[in-house]
Amino acid sequence: MTAVTRETGAAFAFVERNFNLSRRYWGWELAFLVYAIAGALAISFIGAEQGDQRLTFSLVIGAIFWNYLSTVFSFIAETIAWERWEGTLEYTMMAPVRRASQLLGSTSYALLYGLVHTTVILVVLTLFFELDLSQANFVTAAGIMAIGSFSIVGIGIMAAILPLLYVERGAQMTFVIQSCLLVVSGVYYSVEVLPEWMQVLARLSPATYILDGVRRGLLDGATLADVWYDIWPLAIMGAVLIPSGLWLFGRAERYAKRTGKLKRVG
Amino acid sequence: MSVAVTHEPKTSLVVPAPVGEPAPLPLALRPLAGPPALLLEDVSKRFVLGRKKKPVVAIERVSLRVERGQIYGVLGANGSGKSTLIRLVSTLLTLDRGRAEIFGHDVEREEMAVKRLINRVSVDAAFFKKLSPYENLAFAARLYGLDPAIARRETARILERLGIGERRMGQPIEQMSRGMQQKVAIARALLTSPTLLLLDEPTTGLDPRSKLDVQAFVEELRATHDATIVLTTHDMAEADRLCDRIAILDGGRVVAEDTPAGLKARVAREHGLAPTLDNVFLAYTGRSLDEDVDEDDQEKNG
């Protein structure tokens, strides 16, 4: 068995295991999905109340694509936290698997899960609101999401370090990061309404560029060339954040092994 | 106190010697070849708990040599460093000092090679509790690069041998007793065919029947597999029954090391005590394991 085959098989182990967990926790999955749909509907009805078709569509896009980004982020960021809660962290960490393969597996499942979750919400919201998609450029939206997913994965890997370093507070910290991204990234409003210091943070958040690019594609029919100013920051962030995340994860694992933080707690 | 196995397994992994041929020597007594299964030289590990607190010494200048095929026992009270020692060998902790090798592979420099040679069963059966035994073991099989079809057959065979039927393999592990969960943990470790199996108090907290099942299975493993086993335990009878050699840890240090018979003879000769492992423990640590268990119970009960 070649190293590539072995590592691919190991990465698939995490996809299969996470799928089995989703299946076993189907009740919770359903509950989370209902909550996500309810949240997206509640936000989108604000636009409907105003009688503003463009505002409604903008809010629907924000709700749907934020759901995708936050689902992917939290799935990756909680990779370590889950194992800690279940008590399997030590077993997984002593298996002969490269950390990149482990994170590739977790990331692949997160992307698949996010797509399925988001598709269901998209279908429900399309049924509720008569959205005019005649101008929409789906290629732009898909392209921006594909490029943007890399940077979200990179931030997710970095956030996954926190539960490795901080046994109890780590998971809480990842939740705070996710909340900050929600506030500064212009999910439901333009980032121009934010105070100036928050606009600086908005420029550092990949979600800002993803949502801006997707909105321009779906609302205005912009092409990928038209949203180049959203694409290049995302490409740079993806290229920097994933290798940095993997490197930092390795350093954090070493630190955890030195200080004994892999040990099961609770 | 000697303990008899109360029931026979339905199937056995032990392969009897052909009629007319001498029975093979136990692995522990066969001629040695190659590097030791486990070699620790002057290993230390301490933990810093806070800037103003003194570091806790978990392992202090421990040197051990475990030969291939042996069952090597590590006895010690709670907090004596047994589990830290196992974690150091499992690549879950880094060494502050010294050297650790598994079959000649350095634990720190050749981590991936070491990981392929070992597996561990800890005192807590570490599983995704909502998943079934089969789903948990399939995950382990893929992590260790096993063919899923072969892994499925092996899983069924090992679990059957441990008394867990096909019907239970699809149910969530949380619905199983602790004894059954521990058997699944042992099956998971065996599935990957480790050449060094680390058993960290595998029978602690088990009911007597499950304890005997696990002990019988460890004996069977010794007879049939080319595996070396490091076993930490609180149970003197278990250590006496299973181990070829025993090290006694106290305060992170090895205070005595020999065969069970050697230790007992020594305590009779040097301390004038009855030749039992309980007296060996008392003589070298200044306390009995019963006291330790009592203290542990008091802490738990508040």
Side-chain angles (χ1 to χ4, degrees):
Chain A
M1 184 182 278
T2 66
V4 174
T5 315
R6 191 169 53 231
E7 293 299 324
T8 308
F12 183 71
F14 290 92
V15 175
E16 186 181 55
R17 185 201 66 187
N18 289 351
F19 172 73
N20 285 331
L21 282 170
S22 295
R23 204 163 48 84
R24 293 279 182 182
Y25 283 101
W26 69 268
W28 278 110
E29 295 297 345
L30 189 64
F32 289 142
L33 186 59
V34 168
Y35 186 82
I37 290 169
L41 280 172
I43 294 286
S44 303
F45 273 122
I46 294 172
E49 188 183 33
Q50 300 295 313
D52 186 336
Q53 175 77 269
R54 189 178 171 85
L55 175 63
T56 305
F57 200 1
S58 181
L59 290 172
V60 166
I61 291 169
I64 291 170
F65 287 90
W66 173 250
N67 178 74
Y68 172 77
L69 297 176
S70 61
T71 301
V72 170
F73 172 84
S74 57
F75 232 100
I76 300 167
E78 288 171 9
T79 297
I80 297 299
W82 277 7
E83 299 247 18
R84 246 195 218 294
W85 291 327
E86 294 276 2
T88 56
L89 183 60
E90 285 193 327
Y91 189 83
T92 302
M93 293 304 232
M94 68 176 278
V97 177
R98 295 190 187 285
R99 219 47 73 210
S101 306
Q102 177 183 354
L103 292 166
L104 173 69
S106 296
T107 300
S108 302
Y109 186 73
L111 293 170
L112 280 171
Y113 181 92
L115 275 176
V116 171
H117 216 252
T118 304
T119 304
V120 174
I121 297 172
L122 177 65
V123 169
V124 173
L125 263 65
T126 309
L127 292 174
F128 264 87
F129 303 101
E130 290 176 6
L131 303 174
D132 178 13
L133 298 171
S134 59
Q135 297 291 314
N137 187 330
F138 292 102
V139 174
T140 300
I144 286 278
M145 287 308 293
I147 297 166
S149 292
F150 286 99
S151 45
I152 293 296
V153 167
I155 295 181
I157 292 172
M158 286 186 177
I161 293 168
L162 294 169
L164 202 58
L165 299 181
Y166 304 98
V167 174
E168 238 174 273
R169 288 188 206 139
Q172 296 158 2
M173 290 179 190
T174 59
F175 198 67
V176 170
I177 292 174
Q178 192 178 333
S179 309
C180 292
L181 287 174
L182 170 65
V183 173
V184 303
S185 304
V187 176
Y188 300 117
Y189 40 78
S190 164
V191 291
E192 276 83 48
V193 304
L194 295 171
E196 214 156 290
W197 65 271
M198 286 178 94
Q199 289 189 36
V200 175
L201 296 177
R203 280 194 281 277
L204 297 174
S205 164
T208 306
Y209 304 99
I210 295 170
L211 288 160
D212 184 66
V214 168
R215 280 201 175 101
R216 290 192 189 282
L218 294 181
L219 289 172
D220 305 327
T223 64
L224 281 171
D226 294 334
V227 293
W228 173 245
Y229 51 84
D230 286 321
I231 291 174
W232 71 260
L234 288 174
I236 291 173
M237 285 183 188
V240 171
L241 290 174
I242 290 183
S244 309
L246 288 172
W247 183 78
L248 283 171
F249 198 97
R251 301 281 296 180
E253 184 179 341
R254 184 83 189 156
Y255 173 80
K257 286 182 176 179
R258 187 160 57 79
T259 53
K261 287 184 188 288
L262 293 182
K263 190 178 169 185
R264 179 182 184 170
V265 175
Chain B
M1 184 183 76
S2 66
V3 183
V5 181
T6 53
H7 75 289
E8 285 298 316
K10 287 176 192 163
T11 57
S12 175
L13 294 177
V14 179
V15 181
V19 178
E21 287 182 24
L25 281 171
L27 284 167
L29 301 178
R30 288 178 201 170
L32 304 177
L38 172 64
L39 181 70
L40 300 181
E41 281 185 354
D42 207 22
V43 168
S44 294
K45 182 70 191 175
R46 59 182 197 162
F47 295 110
V48 180
L49 301 177
R51 283 180 191 167
K52 291 180 181 171
K53 291 181 182 168
K54 272 179 69 178
V56 173
V57 177
I59 293 290
E60 182 73 350
R61 310 196 75 161
V62 165
S63 296
L64 293 176
R65 185 184 174 97
V66 180
E67 298 299 345
R68 185 174 195 143
Q70 277 186 339
I71 298 183
Y72 193 96
V74 180
L75 283 178
N78 289 332
S80 62
K82 300 187 300 292
S83 293
T84 300
L85 194 69
I86 294 290
R87 285 193 171 89
L88 285 167
V89 176
S90 309
T91 75
L92 293 169
L93 289 171
T94 54
L95 282 65
D96 290 345
R97 174 197 174 111
R99 189 163 67 98
E101 283 183 6
I102 290 172
F103 292 100
H105 296 283
D106 188 279
V107 166
E108 301 233 301
R109 288 198 304 272
E110 300 169 87
E111 189 180 311
M112 203 54 90
V114 166
K115 284 176 170 178
R116 289 196 191 97
L117 294 172
I118 62 172
N119 213 316
R120 166 178 171 240
V121 176
S122 59
V123 63
D124 300 307
F127 289 111
F128 280 89
K129 301 285 192 296
K130 280 276 178 207
L131 298 186
S132 66
Y134 176 69
E135 286 163 346
N136 273 293
L137 268 64
F139 175 59
R142 286 196 192 279
L143 291 185
Y144 283 80
L146 302 179
D147 180 276
I150 295 172
R152 185 171 191 119
R153 273 204 309 275
E154 275 298 292
T155 299
R157 190 182 66 82
I158 298 169
L159 288 177
E160 172 78 32
R161 162 64 193 88
L162 285 166
I164 299 174
E166 184 82 32
R167 191 175 57 83
R168 301 300 296 264
M169 281 178 57
Q171 294 171 356
I173 278 194
E174 66 184 0
Q175 293 175 10
M176 291 179 156
S177 68
R178 205 172 113 50
M180 285 182 106
Q181 288 184 20
Q182 198 64 329
K183 287 177 184 176
V184 177
I186 291 170
R188 177 175 62 180
L190 292 179
L191 184 65
T192 64
S193 302
T195 39
L196 178 63
L197 181 58
L198 306 163
L199 300 177
D200 190 5
E201 298 186 35
T203 59
T204 298
L206 296 190
D207 62 82
R209 166 73 180 266
S210 297
K211 190 181 263 196
L212 289 173
D213 282 347
V214 170
Q215 289 170 352
F217 195 66
V218 171
E219 282 181 323
E220 201 174 314
L221 265 180
R222 186 216 324 243
T224 58
H225 283 60
D226 184 20
T228 309
I229 298 171
V230 176
L231 169 77
T232 74
T233 183
H234 269 137
D235 187 328
M236 296 297 176
E238 180 174 282
D240 209 359
R241 172 180 168 179
L242 297 176
C243 299
D244 299 305
R245 292 188 75 82
I246 290 173
I248 295 179
L249 271 186
D250 187 39
R253 290 174 180 273
V254 174
V255 291
E257 201 263 357
D258 204 338
T259 60
L263 286 170
K264 286 186 276 188
R266 230 160 86 188
V267 83
R269 192 174 60 243
E270 294 172 7
H271 298 269
L273 296 169
T276 65
L277 275 185
D278 285 304
N279 282 338
V280 170
F281 195 84
L282 185 66
Y284 288 103
T285 66
R287 64 192 306 194
S288 75
L289 265 176
D290 291 341
E291 286 171 37
D292 184 60
V293 173
D294 287 346
E295 278 176 20
D296 200 34
D297 288 343
Q298 278 173 7
E299 274 175 31
K300 280 179 188 163
N301 296 331

